[in-house]
Amino acid sequence: MAERLRIEVQRSDEDIESLLREMDTLRRDLLELDVDNVERAEAGPVPPGSRAGALELANGLLVTLPAAMTLLKEVVSVVGDWRSRATSPSGVTLKIGEHHLILTGVDDAEQRRLIDAWLRATSADSGAQEVDDG
């Protein structure tokens, strides 16, 4: 059975056109992996203090992963690389099942520790093979 990963981008501005371009770039980057599908997600929660509308429709992607989830580590890497190039995302949330990972501006060592723990927990719950930390 395939797994669904939701990616939500939080931004400090409301430049919807820029966000749409950046989300299209992330979608193309993810499609270069061997994922089953990447599509725009249904509207998620509106960031506090922002106007409802197009922003809530533009900030999410839904990635369908093969059942083994062996690509999850690669997906996280692509999202991290994209985040470092994006103009103004303040954070990116990855959700799969009950597991959430938030990529923010914490130092690299701490972010890596959190990513590794999230990958292990997600893999354990899915019954997938252990994710290689190397």
Side-chain angles (χ1 to χ4, degrees), residues 6 19 23 39 46 103 111 129:
R6 184 178 180 97
L19 177 60
M23 294 301 286
E39 60 190 331
V46 178
L103 302 175
Q111 190 72 74
Q129 297 174 343

Side-chain angles (χ1 to χ4, degrees), residues 24-56:
D24 284 343
T25 299
L26 177 56
R27 182 177 183 276
R28 284 191 301 273
D29 290 349
L30 291 167
L31 285 170
E32 289 181 14
L33 301 175
D34 197 20
V35 297
D36 290 343
N37 192 21
V38 181
E39 60 190 331
R40 293 231 180 257
E42 299 287 325
V46 178
S50 69
R51 296 174 301 197
L55 181 62
E56 68 187 47

